[in-house]
Amino acid sequence: MTIKEGYMPFMGFQTYYRIARAPGDKPPLLLLHGGPGSTHNYMELFDCLAEEGRTVVTYDQVGCGRSYLDGYPELWKMETWIEELKELRSHLGLDRCHILGQSWGGMLLLQYLIGCRPRGVLSAVLSSTLPSSQLWGREQHRVLRYFSAQEQQAIRRAEETGDYGTAACVAATAHFMEMRCAGAPGPDAPECLRRSKKTGDEAYLTAWGNNEYTPSGTLKNFDLTDRLGEIAIPVLITSGTDDLCTPLTAKIMHDGIPDSSWYLFEGARHMPFVENQDQYMQLMKTWLQACESGQAGRDFIRNK
């Protein structure tokens, strides 16, 4: 397997991309990372799919990682990242491909599929994502009711005052994210998870908000729930039982997308492909093969 890195000119800046390739002619897989403002690093776990002759492409979305920008708050909106995705496919010649979007990357993918109706997308994987920002916020608040009274009070006060920097709120939010998203990687974790990264804090704060449970940025009104039925390609939805993407959130997407299957990973948080890596990657291999042989569909999970 070979790794190729490069940069695509974009809006006067540069977008970093990474291509993992092994000999073979299977349709490529394009990966959209979360955030907004995270990086591609953790997506390198999908390199194993390239070992079977499938090119795997990911990139640092503008505003983070090796595409880092700061001081451009006007850029941090859906339209910017949609245009970047369109230009990247064209720049890399990804005329026919599968696309996986995780967390915010899944929002981006949903908007791309529904708003742009792109050609050549063979299938989509919606990994721990959401069809509605306000639904996401309500579900996080529902889950917060299971945390301690002190933590709930600290977060409630922060929302009332707009001050999320108090020690009590910072600690409560960190505990919430450890339980529902991910903890610090240990010394035996894959290098791509331990590697230092330059996160796009401005992109996250401007587009989403201060935390996962209070969407308040440019994406706060994102809601494609009523348009999910417009997606006409096979879709695989994945999530964990302990995920920020709650089972209700995943089920709403599954119910709304006609040709969709949903796999729920028991005990997993926001990145099942990290905590259940072998199982997740086997699911991906089976899914991609089924799509390419015309056997994917609504009953894929039941029949696999």
Side-chain angles (χ1 to χ4, degrees):
M1 180 176 68
T2 61
I3 303 297
K4 177 184 176 181
E5 300 174 290
Y7 287 89
M8 175 189 75
F10 178 65
M11 297 182 69
F13 307 106
Q14 288 189 314
T15 295
Y16 165 83
Y17 60 83
R18 179 182 183 275
I19 303 173
R21 177 179 288 129
D25 58 0
K26 296 179 181 179
L29 172 65
L30 174 60
L31 305 170
L32 312 180
H33 67 69
S38 184
T39 71
H40 84 279
N41 292 13
Y42 65 109
M43 290 296 192
E44 292 182 22
L45 292 176
F46 287 84
D47 280 0
C48 61
L49 299 179
E51 296 171 356
E52 298 187 353
R54 185 182 305 282
T55 296
V56 177
V57 181
T58 190
Y59 64 105
D60 286 337
Q61 297 160 19
V62 65
C64 67
R66 295 170 69 174
S67 306
Y68 181 79
L69 287 179
D70 197 18
Y72 295 88
E74 69 277 7
L75 292 181
W76 314 134
K77 54 188 178 181
M78 179 66 78
E79 291 80 3
T80 298
W81 289 299
I82 285 287
E83 190 60 31
E84 182 183 40
L85 172 55
K86 288 162 58 175
E87 292 195 20
L88 187 82
R89 279 194 69 194
S90 176
H91 184 78
L92 297 179
L94 301 176
D95 299 326
R96 296 177 70 253
C97 64
H98 305 274
I99 306 180
L100 178 149
Q102 190 264 343
S103 194
W104 142 250
M107 297 170 64
L108 177 61
L109 179 51
L110 282 171
Q111 184 66 51
Y112 181 57
L113 294 175
I114 294 171
C116 302
R117 300 182 183 274
R119 295 182 178 180
V121 180
L122 305 179
S123 79
V125 181
L126 299 173
S127 178
S128 299
T129 190
L130 55 144
S132 163
S133 297
Q134 293 305 309
L135 168 67
W136 188 264
R138 291 195 302 272
E139 280 293 275
Q140 308 319 312
H141 279 85
R142 180 184 62 78
V143 172
L144 280 167
R145 296 203 296 267
Y146 295 95
F147 284 70
S148 72
Q150 293 81 3
E151 289 172 319
Q152 293 182 59
Q153 182 180 15
I155 289 172
R156 185 163 52 248
R157 178 159 298 185
E159 292 182 319
E160 291 171 352
T161 64
D163 182 4
Y164 294 92
T166 65
C169 181
V170 170
T173 300
H175 183 217
F176 176 79
M177 292 298 284
E178 181 179 3
M179 297 298 293
R180 307 298 298 186
C181 184
D188 296 328
E191 185 276 333
C192 64
L193 302 180
R194 294 181 282 107
R195 185 188 312 155
S196 62
K197 60 183 180 181
K198 196 167 185 64
T199 57
D201 293 338
E202 182 183 77
Y204 182 83
L205 287 169
T206 304
W208 184 259
N210 287 278
N211 50 65
E212 286 300 305
Y213 46 83
T214 314
S216 57
T218 60
L219 298 172
K220 67 180 179 181
N221 294 321
F222 172 84
D223 191 346
L224 293 173
T225 308
D226 292 339
R227 299 187 63 187
L228 294 172
E230 298 177 27
I231 299 175
I233 61 173
V235 174
L236 175 63
I237 299 160
T238 63
S239 63
T241 56
D242 302 336
D243 202 332
L244 289 168
C245 173
T246 62
L248 173 63
T249 306
K251 185 177 186 302
I252 286 174
M253 292 187 290
H254 178 44
D255 289 347
I257 300 173
D259 196 9
S260 67
S261 292
W262 172 29
Y263 196 96
L264 182 64
F265 289 85
E266 183 177 359
R269 292 172 291 177
H270 198 43
M271 293 185 286
F273 51 83
V274 173
E275 297 180 326
N276 302 73
Q277 185 178 7
D278 291 343
Q279 183 184 6
Y280 198 100
M281 295 308 164
Q282 184 56 54
L283 175 66
M284 284 295 300
K285 292 175 184 178
T286 306
W287 168 257
L288 295 172
Q289 291 168 2
C291 289
E292 289 157 13
S293 63
Q295 297 176 355
R298 189 110 185 143
D299 293 327
F300 166 75
I301 297 298
R302 186 182 310 155
N303 295 334
K304 83 174 196 66

